[in-house]
Amino acid sequence: MADRIPLALVGIGKIARDQHIPSIAGGNDFVVAAGVSRHGKVEGAENFTDFDAFLAARPDIKVVSLCTPPEVRFDMAKAAIAAGRHVLMEKPPATTLGEAEALSKIAAKAGVTLFATWHSRFALGVEPAKQWLSDKIIQSISIVWKEDVRRWHPGQAWIWEPGGFGVFDPGINALSILTEIVPGHILVQKSTLEFPENKKQPIAASIAMRTVEGAPITAEFDWRQEGPQTWDITVQTNEGELRLSKGGSELYIGGKEQASGPDREYAGIYERFAKLIRSRQSDTDYQPLRIVADSFLCGERKVVAHFED
């Protein structure tokens, strides 16, 4: 424990409790030395309710992990960088592409590490899928990403507000895998976004995209899925079919399983963060966020029935 890097965890909500805290505890690189949250606390750490108060009181903690909703993340990240802290940002990294790109420039000027995380890229099947596709001709890609918002985001009203992303909060996970395994830019052509009459963010989205080379890509996102959840990406190539299932944790090529195993996505994030800090580098790929922004720009809006979550 003495060799671990002290870290402050900011925003002690469901994702922090379910993923960040156990992943940090199970790794060898960090220890949670402070928690910052209006309501939650981290057992065994010094806890603060105000972020600025934490920055002033604990200059010895040089690493900050932001697990807050995205709409407050820019100001927190900017303040942390100004105080000389290395910053990890949960996905999505910011509410807008402009905020995200500004943070990259601010961090570079300050000489600190900024890590915009995409946890699904660390799923077990993603890297071998990327390697297999590297010398193939992609013919088409289909994404089906459907889950039950009531199960995964209970009581989280912020996801329906401006800056909350709606169904793109999970959908951006699929886009993060897509942009990792497919080289070059992904271009949005058109989209249809379904907004419940009582919500400010979409509950479902259908997106038509293509690779730069012209291969068609379709994505179906829906937050109304009951029963088994669906997180699949299927790629047709000149040498057969590749399929990533269960959010990237299972890889099939030609229908045969190639990789599967336990979830280590957040463990992978923190291992990557430690390497970035030690090498004084940053990792800020915002292409998934750009695709979300482009989907709104190219989107047809449909109003659907009242939804109670």
Side-chain angles (χ1 to χ4, degrees), residues 21 29 54 64 67 69 73 81 109 111 117 120 137 146-147 152 169 186 202 212 225 235 240:
I21 292 173
D29 297 300
F54 152 72
V64 171
C67 306
R73 204 170 292 152
I81 292 167
K109 186 175 181 180
T117 65
S120 291
I137 298 172
K146 298 181 178 182
E147 62 181 56
W152 301 102
D169 181 77
I186 303 299
V212 172
Q225 179 90 338
V235 185

Side-chain angles (χ1 to χ4, degrees), residues 70 73 90-97 100 116-121 143 145 147 153 164-180 205 207 219-223 231 233 266 285-293 295-296:
R73 204 170 292 152
E90 246 290 359
K91 64 84 191 171
T95 55
T96 67
L97 192 56
T117 65
W118 303 107
H119 65 81
S120 291
R121 288 182 173 178
I143 300 171
W145 217 260
E147 62 181 56
H153 298 272
F165 284 76
V167 76
F168 284 102
D169 181 77
I172 207 169
N173 294 332
L175 299 177
S176 73
I177 295 175
L178 174 68
T179 51
E180 180 70 11
I207 312 168
E220 296 291 333
F221 301 152
D222 202 317
W223 245 354
W231 302 293
I233 298 176
Y266 281 84
D285 175 17
Y286 299 129
Q287 193 174 183
L289 184 60
R290 179 190 58 76
I291 294 175
V292 173
S295 296
F296 275 90

Side-chain angles (χ1 to χ4, degrees), residues 134-152:
S134 64
D135 61 352
K136 309 298 186 297
I137 298 172
I138 294 174
Q139 298 171 335
S140 67
I141 301 174
S142 171
I143 300 171
V144 180
W145 217 260
K146 298 181 178 182
E147 62 181 56
D148 185 351
V149 64
R150 297 182 180 98
R151 181 191 304 187
W152 301 102

Side-chain angles (χ1 to χ4, degrees), residues 29-85:
D29 297 300
F30 298 99
V31 60
V32 180
V36 185
S37 177
R38 288 178 297 174
H39 306 293
K41 291 185 177 182
V42 180
E43 185 176 350
E46 184 176 6
N47 288 279
F48 298 83
T49 57
D50 181 80
F51 187 61
D52 291 333
F54 152 72
L55 290 175
R58 295 299 305 268
D60 57 309
I61 299 177
K62 300 297 185 183
V63 178
V64 171
S65 179
L66 297 179
C67 306
T68 62
E71 67 264 24
V72 299
R73 204 170 292 152
F74 176 80
D75 288 337
M76 284 185 167
K78 182 182 175 183
I81 292 167
R85 316 300 167 94

Side-chain angles (χ1 to χ4, degrees), residues 3-6 24 27-31 267 270-272 274-275 278:
D3 295 331
R4 297 190 183 194
I5 303 169
I24 292 167
N28 299 314
D29 297 300
F30 298 99
V31 60
Y270 281 100
E271 289 168 5
R272 172 70 172 153
K275 290 177 182 177
R278 289 171 180 139

